[in-house]
Structures are given as structure tokens and as C-alpha cells.
Amino acid sequence: MKHLLAVVSSVSLSLCAGSAAARGVTPYLPLNLAPEVERQIERVLILAGKPVIRRPIPAALVLEALPAACKRDAMLCAEVRAYLARYMETSGVPLLKVSGSIVGGDSDRVVPNAHGRPNDSAWEVAAAAFYQPSDYLLLNLGGIAYDGRTAATGTTLSLGFEYAQLDIGYRDHWFSPFEHSSFLISTEAPTLPSITLSNYQPISRLGLTYEFFAARMSKQENIRYFDTVTSGRPRLAGVQFGISPGAGFGLAINRVMQYGGGARSAGLSDLLGAFIDNNSVNRGDTAGGEEFGNQIASVTASMAVPANVPFVVRLEYAGEDNSYGGNYRLGDSAITLGLDFPHIGERYDLGFELSEWHNAWYVQGIYPLGLTNEGQVLGHWFGDQRQFADQVGGWSTLLAAGYRTDRGDTWRASYRTLGFVESRRFQREPEFPYAQLHEFSLSYGTGWKGFPVGAKLTVGRDALGESFGRLTGTVDLGLGSSLRLPYRADGQWAVPGDLELHIDVGATSSRVYQIISAPAPDSWTDRRTGHHVALGVRRAVSQRGDLGVQLELDDIDEHDMLSFRLLDYRYRFTPHFAANAFFGVGRYHRDAPAHGWYVGTGLQWRNVIPQWDAGLDARYYDKLSRNRVADTDPDPVIDRPRIHFDVEAVTVYLSRRF
């Protein structure tokens, strides 16, 4: 880590020296520490069309978003502006939250995304203070304490400017556009000490953003090293590159790598080589010494849509390792889809997330504890709900809704559920059979003598069948004289003229190339025709170019194919003729879900009749992959532990624009 510190420090300082008009560093806002404020900030960014592809969120980004958000919700804008004012001083204490709980039940699982806090913790204190003597230097002091642990979360030294900010200390990382889940890294575990170099101001018309971090994990014993074992603290390195080429649209690629620990190599040159040459990582056919480390990767997309009822569409596609060779094919994959409506009828908001993962997540041969810190998984919260290291896939759903009263108080309700999908391929004898997790919470936020206070009731049953319950009271002494405005209706805003929502209906002709088992020959199925339905949204990014996302459902060889276009670009040659190119992620459910990339291109005849278009698309799905988990699958063999499907599809459709 010291080598990386030297490199990023020199880069940051040299950039600062050469930028006379630099804006300086920005503080980062709390992450899963002040839920009511964080939700308000999320709503501001959605209303302003600012895509979020990583967290914590820089205060400077929210400040830039306020003018656009004020056009729709002036009351929300005023409250967030008053909160941000605390960060505009030379020093301050923006967070001093004290919580006490009455707890019950038998569950020993942790609260999702709560920095490792267990269900039965009866208290929590979170604090943050800062001192900024210069535009280019910022000292943050922070911490979280609860029953059994104290951590220095939020304690960082920051220096640099908007295109290169260096953060040293206990800064959280979250590589996902979602509020409630992230497969690569989140706040599920206690915060890691790290060094981070990133920009908060996008670069060029493409809106380029980046983040590099290097962190040190908790100690692990029995780490594989050639024919023996070693012990030590593994390193964790993370990289994100993002673009935002159009209003409200964001796309990012992310990688996180666990390496080193004890006698294992932890040099910077070896790390860079492993990032470039994926074949040295996650190779199941090599000894523990030859395999450099453990990596996971993802691609994420987010698009804010400024309709009459504004909303944002989000997707995360992640992989635990590679599949079928090649650095770009993800194996043991996972998908999260989500919608967020920040402004329904002025008083309400609604969010939804749905995740699915294959069975090998957070299970890795080199490191006995895998991607964990202090015993908790670093990524998606499902990993702490199962028996540790069980190879079991599953799904989770979260639905959250909010309501604002006439006085400006807030109510929030959420329901979270999870189910594990066991199979004959990965059976084990747990102490308790898995049950479906259910969690319901209801919270109320108001003010008392100028301070935000709240109460929250959470009840449920975990995935091992154990019950839990918490009644929590909270006061944030750092937000004295907080601004809470009474409700008032805001006027309608103008929907952008370049916004296009559409529904497509048609037919798809397809065939499937099946790669199932070594003894059986690979083969194409007969071509079949089935239904095609799609929902999509586009916005203009140039005089003739449009950018959007689309969700598609097709009948492929009598099985469901759910596809999400991460990037859908259309070029309008004339008012009546256009061509498009796209790529995305497909989910093919053939006895069990297989995931993979797809690409395509198409032609479109616009305004065949007013508001109706006709189109022709051609798509190719490359190595949709899954493990042999279905009861009908052939027994696994050493050279083909997975099943793969290639799909060729041609679609003819009619599209209705709104």
C-alpha cells in the first residue's frame, strides 16, 4: 500500500500545482448513517438528472444539482441546501447521531448495510466533524460505535482538487447505483482503512469519472500458498471507470481484487499485471501459489427519466470469476434491477430492487474467509444471511415507500425478503434448513427543539428461521436548527421535448447453441418463433443521436429471456429512418437462470403512422452461463463445470411512443 500511496500522492500534488483554477476538495456525505437526509439527497439527484454510479456522494455534486431540482420541489431543495450549508464553513460537526433500541428475538445475523452492526445491538453512536484550513486540504474525524465494536469510519485526510482528490483513512466505498445493495463493495462490513484517488467533477463531454483505492483487510488464517498455508492481512484494490455522455445517464465498469496476505505477493507491479491479465486470477485449475488472488467485477447503469412522474432505472451485472475463457465473460454471475420514483403526487416516493445471484458468490479457495472484513461480507447483504461459505444461489427483493405530512414530518416503510435456492449439486446438512427471510420496517422522522429525531420499528425472520425485532429511537445532535418545512404543492415542471418513452410488441425468431456436456456434441436447436415485448426510454444527446435503456422479454426456444439494454444508441438519418446499436445483459431461464452479454443492431422506420414506429433488430447472446445446479443437468465434468448458451435472434416489432 505504501507504494500506491507514493504514486497517487505525487500525481495528486502535481495536478494541484498545475491547476490555478482548481475548485479544491469536497467532503463526502454520510453513507447509511443518516437515512432521512440521505434519502432527501438521493431524491434531489434524481430530480436534477444526476446519475449516481458510486457512493459516498460528494457534497459538491449535490450542490450543483440543487438549481435543477428546485424547479420541481422547492421545499426539498431548501431542506437539502440548509443541510449542505453545514459543510460550507471552515469547521463543523455535521453528524452526531445517538440511537437506543429495545431488541428481541434469537437472530445473530447483522443489519443489512449497517457497517457490521448485529441485530441484537441495543445502541449506536455515529459522529463526524471536519476542519478545512484550505480549499485543497480537508481533515475529517468520524466514528461509529455499537455493542461490540468501535470503528473510525469517516476519519480521513483529503487533499487535491476536483479532478484528482486523494483520501487517506477510513472512507467507505460503494460501487453500485443502488441505495440498498452492492455486489462488489458496500457498507455491509466495517469500513476498511484505504487510500483513494478519484474525481468528483466529470471530465470531457463524455462525463468521465474514475476511482482507484487500495485497502487492508482484517487478518485471515490458513491462506493457501503453494503446498502450504500462510496467515496475514490480505489487500483489497478497487477500480471504477464511469461515463455520463447524456443527461441523466451513467455507465460504469468496476473491479475489486483481493490479493496478498502473509507470504503471498502484494507488489504493485504484480497487482497491475493481474488486472491486465485475467488468466492469473480465479483459476480453479492451479495451485494456490500460482493464482494471484480473488477478484469480482461488474458493469452498472443508471438513467434518470424526467417524466411527469420522474423515475430512475438502474442495473448491476456482476461476476465472481470468468466463464468460458476470455477476460470479458463473467462467471458465477449476479444481476440487480431497480426502479426509483422520487416524486409521486408531491408527497410520496417509492423504490424497488430485485437481485439474483449464482451459488459461488463470496466463496473462494485461496482465502478461507474470502471477501470479508471482521467476519462480515464486503458486498451484498445476502452473504451474511446464509451459513458462511455455503454454495447456494438465491434472490432478494426490497420495496421501500415514503410519505411526507403537512408538517414536514416523514414516514417510511420497507419490506425486504430473500430466498436461497438449494440444489442437489451443492447440498450440505445445515444446522437449520434455510427459510425465506422477511423483514418489515416502519420509521417516523420529526423535529424536537430544532434537532431531527426519529423512531423505527423493525420485525422479521432471518434466513435460518430465527426471529428478530427492534424498536429504535434516534436523535441527531449534529443537525441542530435543522430546516423542516411544512408541505406545500409545487407547480408542474416542463417535461423535456426530447424525452421518448415507448412500448414495443412483436415476434422473435431465434435458435440456441447449447454447450452442455463434454460427451454430448454441441449443437444448434431448430429455429423457433415466439413473442417479444419491450419497455424503453430515450433522450437526445446530439442533434440526431439518442441514448436510452430498454427492458425486453422474449420467448427463446420456448423459454423466457429477460434482457436489459445497458446502452441503446439510435441515430436518426431522416425524420422517418433511423438505425441503432446496443449492448446489454440477458437472463435465460432454462431449468435455472443463465446470465451473459448480448449485442445487437437494428433499423427503424419512424412515424409509420403518427407516434408509431416499425423496427427490425438482430441480437447475439454470447455464452450465457450457469453452473450445473438443476436436477435435470448432466453430472459435472472437470473440463465443463458450467452450461453455456449462445443465442441468435431476429425481432420484428411495432413501437408506440409516448
Side-chain angles (χ1 to χ4, degrees), residues 396-415:
S396 68
T397 301
L398 182 134
L399 181 66
Y403 170 74
R404 186 181 186 97
T405 70
D406 289 338
R407 295 177 51 197
D409 298 338
T410 57
W411 287 91
R412 292 203 62 78
S414 68
Y415 171 67

Side-chain angles (χ1 to χ4, degrees), residues 14 31-32 39 96 116 137 151 231 256 303 343 388 433 514 546 614:
S14 63
L31 182 57
N32 287 319
R39 181 57 185 165
L96 183 56
L137 180 64
S231 63
V256 170
M303 185 168 183
H343 215 278
F388 181 74
Q514 304 175 113
D546 303 322

Side-chain angles (χ1 to χ4, degrees), residues 228 237 426 553-554 639:
T228 183
F426 299 94
L553 177 63
D554 294 90
D639 59 333

Side-chain angles (χ1 to χ4, degrees), residues 632-649:
T632 56
D633 291 341
D635 289 331
V637 292
I638 189 65
D639 59 333
R640 286 191 177 174
R642 295 192 179 103
I643 291 175
H644 308 276
F645 305 98
D646 292 343
V647 179
E648 292 179 354

Side-chain angles (χ1 to χ4, degrees), residues 412-492:
R412 292 203 62 78
S414 68
Y415 171 67
R416 188 191 306 263
T417 185
L418 173 151
F420 288 116
V421 181
E422 300 184 66
S423 73
R424 68 182 179 91
R425 303 296 179 189
F426 299 94
Q427 286 183 347
R428 80 281 178 278
E429 297 295 334
E431 183 179 356
F432 301 101
Y434 283 127
Q436 184 169 341
L437 176 148
H438 298 281
E439 178 191 283
F440 176 78
S441 70
L442 179 66
S443 62
Y444 175 67
T446 185
W448 176 74
K449 295 187 176 181
F451 295 104
V453 297
K456 183 175 183 179
L457 174 66
T458 303
V459 295
R461 180 187 70 183
D462 67 25
L464 296 179
E466 303 293 341
S467 64
F468 58 87
R470 295 187 306 277
L471 178 60
T472 302
T474 300
V475 58
D476 192 340
L477 302 175
L479 292 181
S481 302
S482 63
L483 180 61
R484 304 182 66 85
L485 297 175
Y487 165 80
R488 66 177 175 80
D490 290 317
Q492 294 292 319

